[in-house]
Amino acid sequence: MVSYSQNIMDDEYEKFIRRMNPPRVVIDNESCKNATIIQVDSANKHGILLEVVLVLTDLNLVITKAYISSDGGWFMDVFNVTNQEGNKITDEAMLDYIMKSLGPDSCFASSMRRSVGVTAGMDHTSIELIGSDRPGLLSEVSAVLTNLKCNVVNAEVWTHNTRAAAIMQVTDEEHGGAITDPERLSTMKQLLCNVLRGSNKLRDAKTIVSDGVSHTERRLHQLMFADRDYERTTGEGLDDKDRPNVNVVNWQDKDYSVVTIKCKDRPKLLFDTICTLTDMQYVVFHGNVDAEGPQAHQEYCIRHVDGSPVKSDAERQRVIQCLEAAIERRVSEGLKLELCTTDRVGLLSDVTRIFRENSLTVTRAEVTTRAGKALNIFYVRDSSGYPVDAKIIESVRQTIGQTILRVKGNIEELNPVPQESPTRFLFGGLFKSRSFCNFGLVRSYS
């Protein structure tokens, strides 16, 4: 067990190295026709790649290409980035923020702030939830919190492989601050655990209450990883045609393991894969990312933090399963609905109850409150497993308010979901043409 004094010494040593070798950031808007190039050079340490990716991801920038190199004591990364519209980053305030966040005066502290509003202090109580997924679960959780006179001001909900995880930030209905009464918190934890556990006595349900600061999406990955949601049973998960293609082979001449990922591109894909490799205690020494088309290609040379490549076929399978899970957790199955209205206590409970009463189940959710306004996104499916009925959606919109709840996307474009699939009942330089494998340098497991 590492002592407190040892942690202090390690922290002081890192600060010393940082002073001697401050990070250098170069932003180039001239060399590339359709992207801004951001180069970051810094003294190397475990997790630094994730810290840089966090800063860019939290600004909602799109990373179209990346080159990673961190052999020895130095880290160098080059990103091609655009805004959400596919244009270069020209906003001076954002460019200045990137320089300050990644440059010599930063400790990447800004990456701890999430768009869902994680802040330090006592203005809210943070609740972490993990348990068995089923239709209507979000509605039940929200109802419990409303009955306890709690207002959900921010939340993010993920589901995968029959498991559900959420991080919710709640305030007291009466005074609008954090909930501090120990007896009330204990009651909250007990009731939420009962709801999360449901009828599944074989899997644990957990509720953690804190007032600390954490990065919401990274924490959700950690919760689901610790819950072993990557362990797949027959028939669970995405269809084979939609599954990411992940492979791990050993490059024996260089003592690396090479991870290759090919899948449909989507926002924050790079963050999800780097986050998982980092939390699994692997170090990326070299890497290339190409996500300019509809398909994303990622390739990494990795070793475990102890310096060894992947040692066995069992470890190899675990890396593959964990990366597949990391990619699939954020896949947004269902019709996207956006709700915008004045916030009030019980709003989330009322909306999700209406969904449940109309046989809609929530597959993913983002709940945000800004300046007294609720800005919520829900991905919903029909609880029966069939495509969403346009008449039901229209009825729900009339009940909630057509100007309040808007449909994003086309209902007819949703693919039918097999009714017999229980896992569809969810919680409410070296790019692809020049891979290491193509160079003939990689030997697969025998």
Side-chain angles (χ1 to χ4, degrees):
M1 184 174 181
V2 179
S3 67
Y4 175 75
S5 59
Q6 182 63 49
N7 285 331
I8 294 294
M9 290 177 61
D10 291 344
D11 186 53
E12 290 301 318
Y13 178 73
E14 282 192 10
K15 290 179 181 177
F16 172 75
I17 294 297
R18 188 180 181 88
R19 287 195 299 270
M20 295 299 99
N21 302 279
R24 185 174 70 96
V25 180
V26 177
I27 299 178
D28 178 3
N29 258 328
E30 304 298 328
S31 300
C32 183
K33 180 180 179 181
N34 54 7
T36 298
I37 299 175
I38 300 174
Q39 179 176 326
V40 182
D41 299 320
S42 174
N44 195 18
K45 67 172 182 176
H46 180 56
I48 189 172
L49 173 60
L50 176 59
E51 291 175 343
V52 175
V53 172
L54 274 175
V55 171
L56 300 179
T57 301
D58 285 349
L59 289 171
N60 289 318
L61 300 180
V62 178
I63 301 173
T64 59
K65 287 189 178 183
Y67 170 77
I68 301 156
S69 180
S70 62
D71 253 344
W74 198 253
F75 166 86
M76 190 270 287
D77 206 339
V78 179
F79 298 94
N80 284 22
V81 303
T82 69
N83 59 22
Q84 293 290 312
E85 290 72 40
N87 301 318
K88 293 183 180 183
I89 313 304
T90 57
D91 182 87
E92 290 297 330
M94 181 174 289
L95 292 175
D96 183 61
Y97 180 84
I98 292 171
M99 291 291 293
K100 290 180 178 177
S101 298
L102 300 179
D105 296 329
S106 81
C107 291
F108 303 106
S110 59
S111 65
M112 298 300 292
R113 272 51 172 185
R114 257 292 284 123
S115 58
V116 297
V118 174
T119 56
M122 295 296 292
D123 59 342
H124 66 259
T125 298
S126 180
I127 306 172
E128 298 178 356
L129 308 171
I130 186 80
S132 298
D133 184 27
R134 66 179 185 278
L137 183 56
L138 180 56
S139 175
E140 294 179 38
V141 168
S142 303
V144 168
L145 293 172
T146 299
N147 289 336
L148 292 172
K149 300 188 182 301
C150 301
N151 186 34
V152 180
V153 292
N154 295 294
E156 190 139 351
V157 179
W158 289 2
T159 63
H160 180 247
N161 199 12
T162 74
R163 305 300 288 170
I167 295 181
M168 295 182 161
Q169 294 163 15
V170 301
T171 58
D172 184 270
E173 175 184 348
E174 184 176 347
H175 57 73
I179 299 163
T180 57
D181 177 46
E183 184 175 345
R184 189 176 175 192
L185 292 174
S186 177
T187 300
M188 180 190 302
K189 291 174 65 174
Q190 181 179 351
L191 292 176
L192 289 174
C193 266
N194 291 340
V195 170
L196 289 165
R197 189 174 293 111
S199 60
N200 190 344
K201 305 302 180 183
L202 300 178
R203 296 291 296 272
D204 288 337
K206 295 180 181 178
T207 302
I208 302 171
V209 179
S210 71
D211 57 10
V213 179
S214 64
H215 188 281
T216 302
E217 294 178 340
R218 183 176 186 189
R219 187 64 186 137
L220 284 169
H221 275 303
Q222 291 172 331
L223 287 171
M224 301 199 89
F225 173 71
D227 194 50
R228 305 174 74 90
D229 75 313
Y230 54 84
E231 293 182 341
R232 198 186 306 274
T233 58
T234 304
E236 292 181 341
L238 299 177
D239 296 335
D240 286 342
K241 64 182 179 64
D242 298 322
R243 293 267 300 275
N245 184 340
V246 182
N247 193 27
V248 180
V249 294
N250 274 2
W251 185 2
Q252 296 182 356
D253 293 344
K254 297 293 185 180
D255 211 27
Y256 291 125
S257 293
V258 180
V259 177
T260 55
I261 301 170
K262 297 179 182 179
C263 64
K264 183 178 179 180
D265 190 31
R266 59 163 176 75
K268 303 186 179 182
L269 178 64
L270 179 61
F271 163 77
D272 294 337
T273 55
I274 295 297
C275 178
T276 298
L277 288 171
T278 303
D279 287 339
M280 291 181 71
Q281 299 297 299
Y282 290 101
V283 179
V284 176
F285 287 87
H286 300 283
N288 289 277
V289 175
D290 184 356
E292 287 192 304
Q295 292 291 311
H297 300 258
Q298 300 180 8
E299 192 164 64
Y300 306 112
C301 288
I302 67 169
R303 293 186 190 130
H304 196 267
V305 289
D306 64 8
S308 65
V310 173
K311 298 176 182 178
S312 66
D313 191 59
E315 183 183 355
R316 171 180 172 269
Q317 288 298 329
R318 185 169 182 267
V319 172
I320 291 173
Q321 288 177 339
C322 290
L323 285 171
E324 287 178 346
I327 295 168
E328 292 172 0
R329 286 171 194 146
R330 205 195 290 268
V331 172
S332 302
E333 297 185 17
L335 183 69
K336 183 178 180 181
L337 302 177
E338 291 187 357
L339 181 143
C340 180
T341 188
T342 302
D343 187 43
R344 61 174 173 80
V345 175
L347 175 64
L348 182 62
S349 177
D350 290 343
V351 171
T352 53
R353 174 181 52 79
I354 293 169
F355 288 164
R356 186 186 72 232
E357 290 173 349
N358 286 273
S359 298
L360 296 177
T361 185
V362 179
T363 65
R364 192 160 73 86
E366 299 173 16
V367 176
T368 308
T369 304
R370 295 175 185 164
K373 284 283 188 180
L375 308 169
N376 301 343
I377 297 174
F378 304 97
Y379 293 87
V380 300
R381 276 199 177 277
D382 190 286
S383 296
S384 67
Y386 291 109
V388 175
D389 189 329
K391 293 181 180 179
I392 291 178
I393 294 297
E394 190 58 27
S395 174
V396 168
R397 291 187 63 216
Q398 288 181 358
T399 302
I400 296 175
Q402 291 185 327
T403 60
I404 294 174
L405 186 68
R406 299 181 182 274
V407 178
K408 297 295 181 178
N410 191 337
I411 296 178
E412 286 71 26
E413 292 177 356
L414 291 178
N415 294 323
V417 182
Q419 187 176 8
E420 66 273 12
S421 174
T423 63
R424 297 299 184 179
F425 293 140
L426 299 179
F427 187 16
L430 295 173
F431 295 108
K432 55 186 177 181
S433 61
R434 299 180 59 209
S435 70
F436 297 108
C437 297
N438 289 340
F439 283 141
L441 298 176
V442 180
R443 300 174 188 172
S444 181
Y445 289 83
S446 58

